[in-house]
Amino acid sequence: DGGITQSPKYLFRKEGQNVTLSCEQNLNHDAMYWYRQDPGQGLRLIYYSQIVNDFQKGDIAEGYSVSREKKESFPLTVTSAQKNPTAFYLCASSIGEGSGGYTFGSGTRLTVV
Amino acid sequence: GDSVTQMEGPVTLSEEAFLTINCTYTATGYPSLFWYVQYPGEGLQLLLKATKADDKGSNKGFEATYRKETTSFHLEKGSVQVSDSAVYFCALIMGAAGNKLTFGGGTRVLVKP
């Protein structure tokens, strides 16, 4: 079955460390997205990519970095510059055209210890 | 810019009660409209969608009708179950390539036995 796989499901990080969250899709979607969700809150867009080797900042890109070297993969690095990284991170993909919605992964819960 | 406004939660209901979650939107054209559902600790799942005025999306007993005249896409279910407890997100996307989903803030629904 096609879908999006995020790993790991739970991640613990010490303060000052960088950590990378994985997102892989086998839907042949062109566009991929990273969102952050804080408890009881909505979704905030971190970065998105509409084509391989290209990506754009979303609303809250500071302290994060991404790459898009392959169509299937869009890893997110949470750097030590992100002051409050504890959150639930969601990856999504879409065909990038018109009326299609997004397909979401199951999320990664990052906790700074 | 485009925006989506949802009723704030939490909405607390008894089992078999009628559920309505209001959603209104602001957009410069004619968007496609979506409802997503998020169960605890999981990613978002597409619940239903409508791509043009007067379309009705339906799934798992939930329904929503695209009302252009009132710019609304209210979600309804006639008889909720405990398993419907979740957060529900209304969203829109414009038809042109490269446009991103715009989400509402989410509405938490709690169904008690």
Side-chain angles (χ1 to χ4, degrees):
Chain A
D1 288 339
I4 297 183
T5 301
Q6 288 188 243
S7 61
K9 189 168 181 64
Y10 298 96
L11 189 58
F12 296 89
R13 189 194 90 174
K14 292 183 179 180
E15 285 193 23
Q17 287 182 336
N18 293 353
V19 64
T20 298
L21 283 59
S22 171
C23 178
E24 304 276 335
Q25 55 100 358
N26 61 3
L27 299 165
N28 200 33
H29 283 172
D30 289 316
M32 298 187 73
Y33 311 83
W34 274 105
Y35 287 89
R36 170 180 172 140
Q37 187 177 31
D38 292 288
Q41 302 297 313
L43 303 173
R44 291 188 288 171
L45 182 64
I46 304 172
Y47 268 99
Y48 64 102
S49 167
Q50 294 176 328
I51 194 168
V52 174
N53 292 322
D54 189 37
F55 49 83
Q56 287 79 39
K57 293 181 179 180
D59 301 318
I60 56 164
E62 185 175 352
Y64 300 96
S65 66
V66 294
S67 62
R68 187 86 186 277
E69 298 176 1
K70 298 187 298 182
K71 187 175 186 178
E72 302 79 16
S73 179
F74 191 41
L76 173 74
T77 297
V78 184
T79 75
S80 57
Q82 170 49 238
K83 297 307 179 187
N84 186 21
T86 295
F88 190 51
Y89 291 88
L90 288 162
C91 180
S93 71
S94 75
I95 61 172
E97 294 274 346
S99 62
Y102 292 2
T103 301
F104 281 83
S106 58
T108 293
R109 185 167 300 281
L110 173 64
T111 303
V112 173
V113 297
Chain B
D2 302 335
S3 66
V4 176
T5 302
Q6 292 180 234
M7 59 189 292
E8 290 193 18
V11 175
T12 303
L13 303 165
S14 296
E15 211 164 18
E16 299 184 1
F18 184 87
L19 170 68
T20 299
I21 303 176
N22 289 339
C23 170
T24 57
Y25 68 89
T26 301
T28 53
Y30 299 107
S32 294
L33 301 172
F34 304 83
W35 276 102
Y36 283 84
V37 58
Q38 184 180 32
Y39 299 104
E42 298 184 9
L44 277 67
Q45 302 174 24
L46 179 63
L47 182 59
L48 53 85
K49 71 175 186 179
T51 57
K52 62 183 186 296
D54 299 325
D55 269 2
K56 177 185 284 188
S58 61
N59 186 24
K60 299 181 180 179
F62 290 89
E63 293 183 340
T65 300
Y66 189 140
R67 301 289 188 197
K68 185 178 69 173
E69 62 276 11
T70 55
T71 62
S72 64
F73 193 53
H74 305 323
L75 183 68
E76 296 181 338
K77 186 174 184 181
S79 177
V80 294
Q81 305 300 313
V82 172
S83 57
D84 293 324
S85 298
V87 180
Y88 294 82
F89 290 92
C90 186
L92 70 82
I93 193 168
M94 298 306 296
N99 285 326
K100 302 184 299 299
L101 266 178
T102 298
F103 287 94
T107 302
R108 182 175 299 277
V109 173
L110 177 60
V111 181
K112 296 185 174 180

